[in-house]
Amino acid sequence: MRGLFITFEGPDASGKTTQIDILKKRLENSGMDPLVTREPGGTFVGEKIREILLDKNNAGITPVAEMLLYAASRAQHVSEVIKPALESGRTVISDRFYDSSEAYQGYGRGLGKMVWRVNEPAVDGIWPDLTIMLMADPDDVKGRRADSEKDRMDSESLAFQQRVKKGFEAVAERDSDRILRIDAGKSIEEIADEIAAAVERLAGRKI
Ligand code: TMP
């Protein structure tokens, strides 16, 4: 049986990493062997593309070049990691997937529907069974990282981050069957429990 594909999405600094760690441990404690991966990245080539995308020295990357690089990383990731793992029955948890391209490149950069046209061959028919969208307000989290720690993407203006957030909101509303939208302002435990309940419903078993 095909494994479950769970993705985590949301604006920068919304607490995804903490929640992915908690879910991974819960699944492991219940006897599962989840594969945790991320985008951009998740493969040798993808991690190299990630370096290019997040390097602050690459301020000159055009919006279209950026969109293509995220899609290239995704194509490699789906083909080399996600598809084979799902086919072998493993649960895959990805820190970001296509929804991020829609929010950041589609809404943030204003590239709109072009983003899907480019990504359709990259996702190659693979689609999440469940997406956890942790929604933080860019205004509330902007001080969380020092400027020196910020990468090319999270150094973007507050106006850009607000467009990205709007993009995530629109995607969550449109795909409400797949996407569980959670307010990132709740406590870590409360969020973890909501996520576990959603995964239990999907998996049809306790975790
Ligand atoms: P991370 O900081 O969550 O690891 O993600 C790296 C950055 O890349 C983050 O600012 C979101 C951005 N991103 C896009 O702009 N488009 C995409 O398709 C993906 C996967 C990430």
Side-chain angles (χ1 to χ4, degrees):
M1 217 176 78
R2 180 188 177 274
L4 299 174
F5 184 29
I6 301 169
T7 59
F8 278 72
E9 298 280 5
D12 292 304
S14 55
K16 287 182 287 107
T17 314
T18 308
Q19 292 299 334
I20 288 172
D21 285 348
I22 296 173
L23 178 61
K24 177 176 188 276
K25 288 201 184 93
R26 284 203 184 183
L27 290 172
E28 283 170 352
N29 290 341
S30 78
M32 291 168 79
D33 178 28
L35 175 75
V36 175
T37 183
R38 69 170 178 182
E39 289 199 355
T43 63
F44 183 73
V45 169
E47 290 296 329
K48 289 191 165 178
I49 297 173
R50 181 184 177 92
E51 278 173 33
I52 297 172
L53 280 164
L54 300 186
D55 184 347
K56 269 202 269 194
N57 294 316
N58 292 338
I61 297 180
T62 71
V64 171
E66 179 184 284
M67 169 187 71
L68 292 169
L69 285 167
Y70 279 110
S73 166
R74 181 162 303 126
Q76 193 70 31
H77 193 209
V78 166
S79 161
E80 199 179 314
V81 175
I82 300 177
K83 222 177 205 182
L86 292 175
E87 279 167 4
S88 77
R90 256 180 114 178
T91 291
V92 176
I93 301 173
S94 186
D95 185 344
R96 298 194 183 281
F97 191 63
Y98 170 71
D99 295 326
S100 280
S101 280
E102 200 166 330
Y104 284 84
Q105 283 67 55
Y107 284 77
R109 302 289 188 215
L111 295 178
K113 293 202 186 326
M114 192 202 296
V115 177
W116 174 246
R117 288 205 298 276
V118 163
N119 274 276
E120 193 174 4
V123 304
D124 195 21
I126 293 293
W127 202 241
D129 299 296
L130 170 69
T131 296
I132 307 296
M133 195 173 281
L134 289 171
M135 204 60 81
D137 193 85
D139 237 344
D140 297 340
V141 298
K142 66 175 187 282
R144 226 182 246 185
R145 268 180 221 159
D147 280 353
S148 58
E149 288 172 17
K150 286 185 177 166
D151 60 39
R152 191 181 64 88
M153 294 302 286
D154 46 32
S155 304
E156 279 293 340
S157 67
L158 200 54
F160 174 82
Q161 305 292 353
Q162 291 290 5
R163 288 198 297 279
V164 168
K165 185 185 177 214
K166 261 207 185 129
F168 277 124
E169 299 276 14
V171 171
E173 202 163 301
R174 187 191 61 208
D175 277 359
S176 57
D177 284 353
R178 166 179 62 95
I179 299 175
L180 175 65
R181 182 198 181 290
I182 302 179
D183 176 358
K186 291 182 180 175
S187 75
I188 290 177
E189 294 73 23
E190 215 177 331
I191 295 174
D193 287 345
E194 268 189 56
I195 293 172
V199 173
E200 283 177 352
R201 279 196 297 277
L202 179 69
R205 54 176 280 194
K206 275 272 188 228
I207 61 162

